[in-house]
Amino acid sequence: MSVGALGQARELIGAARGLYSADPGVRAQLDGCAERMAEPLRVALAGSLKAGKSTLLNSLVGQDIAPTDATECTRVVTWYRSGSTPTVTAWYDGDRTANVPVQRREGSLSFDLGGLTASEVDRLEVEWPARALQHTTIIDTPGTSSLSRDVSARTLRMLTPEGSASGADAVVYLLRTLNASDVQFLGQIGAHVGGESGPLGVVGVVSRADEVGAGRLDAMMSAKEVASRLAAELELTGLCQAVVPVAGLLALGARTLRQSEYAAFRALADVPADDLQLAMLSADRFARPDSPLPVDAHTRVQLAHRFGLFGIRLAVALIKLGAPDSPTLAAELVERSGLDELRQVIDVQFGQRADQLKAHSALLALERVLAVDSGSEARRLLVATKRLLSDVHGFQEIRLLGRLRSTPVALSDEDAARLQRLIGGFGIAHSERLGLAPDAGVAEQRDAALTAVRAWRAWAGHPLVDRFTSRACTVAARSAEGVLADLG
C-alpha cells in the first residue's frame, strides 16, 4: 500500500461518513475507522497460558508495568497506552468505569480490582508514562489455552470479533512448540486481521527461550534452532513472517539492572567454577540459607526470581569475560536475551509500516460496513475499498523480510543486503530503499529505481537461480517499480 493509497483510504472513509451521515450507528463505526488511523499502532501479545506475555511486555517497555502473577488481572484483556501519570481503569457493564489501584507487594506489581471479578470486567486500560508506548499501544491478552473457555474466548473476541475489524493491527504470538491449537489460532488471526490478503503483521516468539536448553549457557543457541524450525513450518502455512527466540525474564532483568545486583554478580564471579556450578544445580539449592556463596540468601532469591539460573550464569560469565560495569553488563544481557532482535523485527515489520497496517485495519472495517448496503454509491465505494485492499505488495515485502531471517538467498552478501534494503528492511523512504542520500533529487532517485528494476528482473529470470531466490528478486523488482510509480 503506497503513500498515495493511504490518502485514498482516508478519502474513502470520508466519503462513507458523508453517505451515512443520517445513520448514527454506522456513522459511529466509520468515525472509529478514521480515529483508528490517527491512533498509535495497536500490537497485541497473544499465546498460550503462561507463555510469558506479561513478562515480554514489561521487557519491551523497559518497566515493570504489567502484573505477571496469575491473578484476576491476567484473565482480562488489558490495553497499555501512553499517559502522563500511571492510571488503571476497569471497564464493565458496557460503559461503566472504575479506577483500579496499583499495588506492589514483595516487589511484584498487581492491580486491585476491588469488588469486581475478571468475569465482570470487559477490559482494563492502563495509561503509563513510557517512551515505548508513545507510538505503539500494546494489548496483553489472556492465554489462548486457558482451562476456562470464557477466558480464551476474550482473546478471540478482541482479535477476531464477529462482524467487525480486529482490535489489533499486528500480533506478536508467543509459543513454546507448534501444536494444532497454535496453528488453528494463527489461522483465525490471519483470516481476520489480514482479510483476503492473509496475515499482515504476525511475528512469532519462542518465549522463555532460556528454558529450551534447561538454563545452560548455550540455551539461546538451542532456542535459535527451535525458532528456525518453527519459522520453516509456519512459512509453509503462511501464518507468520518471522520467529525470534527471546528470554523475556532475562531481558526485563537486564533493562532494570540495579547496581547492587551487579555487585552480587561480581561476587559470584569470584567463586571457583566447580563450587558455583554445584550451588546452581537448581534454583532451590542456589537460594538455600546455609549456602557458602558470598551473597546473602535474600539477594540470591531475588536474583533467581529476576534473572533465572540462565541469566545468573550468563551474567557471571560476561563479568569474567570483562564486563567492567553495570551499564555494560546490562547491554550485553539485553542483546543476548534476544530482545534487541525482536525489537528490530517489530520495527521493520510493524513500526515502519504502521500507517499501512492501520489503514488496512480501517479499510477492512469499512468493507464490512459497505458490504451490507445494496445501494449504488455503497457498491462504488466497496469496489474502490476492495481495490485498495488487494494492493498486497507491501505485505509480500513483510513476509519476505521474515523469511530472509531463516532462509538465505543465493546471492553475494552485498547483493543480499541490497535486496533487503530495497524491500524496506532498513526503512521505507525511497532514498533509503535505493541506498541514496536523504536529500537525493527526484531525477537521481528515478534513475536508481529504473536501474534496480532492470537488475532485479534479470536476476529473477536467471536460469541458474533457485526458486526462492527468484521469487525474492521478483519482489525486489516490484518494490523498485513501486518507487518509480510514486515518483511519477
Side-chain angles (χ1 to χ4, degrees):
M1 187 176 293
S2 66
V3 176
L6 296 179
Q8 294 177 53
R10 292 188 178 93
E11 290 176 4
L12 284 173
I13 293 172
R17 292 167 81 182
L19 178 64
Y20 296 103
S21 58
D23 188 326
V26 176
R27 179 59 190 260
Q29 294 182 57
L30 296 172
D31 288 346
C33 292
E35 291 168 2
R36 184 160 181 172
M37 293 180 66
E39 292 178 359
L41 184 74
R42 301 176 184 177
V43 177
L45 303 183
S48 61
L49 194 67
K50 296 187 179 299
K53 295 182 293 296
S54 299
T55 299
L56 181 62
L57 188 154
N58 288 334
S59 66
L60 287 168
V61 174
Q63 298 182 45
D64 194 3
I65 69 171
T68 55
D69 293 336
T71 62
E72 286 283 287
C73 296
T74 59
R75 298 159 58 87
V76 180
V77 174
T78 306
W79 295 60
Y80 290 84
R81 309 178 188 271
S82 177
S84 56
T85 57
T87 58
V88 182
T89 304
W91 289 78
Y92 65 102
D93 289 345
D95 58 356
R96 299 184 66 185
T97 62
N99 291 327
V100 176
V102 179
Q103 301 177 341
R104 289 191 184 274
R105 296 171 180 166
E106 298 181 356
S108 296
L109 181 80
S110 66
F111 300 154
D112 184 2
L113 295 180
L116 294 172
T117 63
S119 59
E120 296 173 302
V121 177
D122 299 321
R123 70 183 185 278
L124 292 174
E125 290 194 2
V126 179
E127 293 190 0
W128 208 276
R131 181 180 300 177
L133 298 175
Q134 291 178 357
H135 302 291
T136 305
T137 294
I138 303 179
I139 308 168
D140 194 5
T141 65
T144 55
S145 60
S146 171
L147 295 177
S148 169
R149 286 189 176 182
D150 180 62
V151 172
S152 296
R154 293 177 184 179
T155 298
L156 285 172
R157 284 197 299 269
M158 197 283 295
L159 290 175
T160 62
E162 185 176 352
S164 61
S166 173
D169 302 308
V171 178
V172 174
Y173 191 82
L174 284 69
L175 64 165
R176 309 295 299 283
T177 58
L178 187 61
N179 54 42
S181 62
D182 290 320
V183 173
Q184 180 184 16
F185 189 77
L186 285 168
Q188 289 177 274
I189 293 175
H192 204 94
V193 179
E196 294 180 359
S197 62
L200 307 182
V202 182
V203 167
V205 169
V206 177
S207 61
R208 299 167 68 169
D210 52 308
E211 297 177 9
V212 173
R216 300 188 310 269
L217 273 177
D218 63 349
M220 291 303 292
M221 294 299 296
S222 300
K224 285 183 181 293
E225 294 175 2
V226 172
S228 180
R229 186 176 70 249
L230 294 180
E233 294 178 20
L234 288 169
E235 172 64 23
L236 295 176
T237 62
L239 297 178
C240 193
Q241 292 88 54
V243 180
V244 180
V246 179
L249 185 65
L250 172 61
L252 176 59
R255 294 201 70 187
T256 57
L257 179 66
R258 303 158 187 157
Q259 182 62 36
S260 60
E261 292 170 335
Y262 174 79
F265 288 137
R266 178 161 287 284
L268 292 173
D270 292 331
V271 176
D274 290 343
D275 293 346
L276 184 60
Q277 182 178 359
L278 184 63
M280 294 186 65
L281 288 176
S282 70
D284 288 341
R285 188 182 183 92
F286 178 72
R288 279 170 51 175
D290 60 348
S291 172
L293 293 174
V295 175
D296 66 88
H298 176 74
T299 299
R300 281 183 274 119
V301 169
Q302 291 300 309
L303 291 179
H305 175 72
R306 281 179 34 81
F307 295 87
L309 292 182
F310 170 72
I312 297 170
R313 291 189 180 104
L314 183 57
V316 168
L318 290 172
I319 287 175
K320 287 183 175 180
L321 289 172
D325 51 41
S326 178
T328 302
L329 178 63
E332 288 277 0
L333 291 174
V334 168
E335 180 180 355
R336 293 168 189 262
S337 72
L339 182 66
D340 283 348
E341 183 180 6
L342 176 61
R343 291 166 72 183
Q344 181 185 22
V345 170
I346 290 176
D347 179 55
V348 171
Q349 310 279 104
F350 302 160
Q352 296 181 23
R353 301 172 191 270
D355 286 345
Q356 297 175 356
L357 291 168
K358 289 188 293 183
H360 197 277
S361 297
L363 287 170
L364 283 176
L366 175 60
E367 181 184 36
R368 289 182 170 90
V369 170
L370 297 171
V372 299
D373 189 338
S374 59
S376 58
E377 180 61 15
R379 287 200 302 271
R380 184 188 70 79
L381 292 176
L382 181 60
V383 169
T385 300
K386 287 181 175 293
R387 178 179 57 78
L388 276 183
L389 284 172
S390 68
D391 179 12
V392 296
H393 177 69
F395 306 116
Q396 290 178 354
E397 291 182 331
I398 292 176
R399 295 187 181 99
L400 177 57
L401 285 168
R403 180 72 184 275
L404 288 174
R405 305 189 72 82
S406 58
T407 307
V409 287
L411 301 170
S412 68
D413 290 346
E414 183 180 353
D415 285 334
R418 285 174 51 229
L419 185 148
Q420 185 179 5
R421 179 179 293 279
L422 185 56
I423 64 175
F426 302 102
I428 60 174
H430 295 336
S431 58
E432 189 68 63
R433 287 177 180 268
L434 298 171
L436 300 175
D439 58 352
V442 173
E444 184 181 1
Q445 293 184 56
R446 189 183 293 118
D447 289 344
L450 183 58
T451 299
V453 170
R454 291 169 177 165
W456 291 111
R457 284 294 177 197
W459 269 112
H462 197 287
L464 298 181
V465 168
D466 64 87
R467 184 175 180 180
F468 173 67
T469 300
S470 175
R471 182 156 62 91
C473 293
T474 299
V475 172
R478 283 283 313 279
S479 297
E481 289 169 351
V483 171
L484 269 180
D486 285 344
L487 293 173

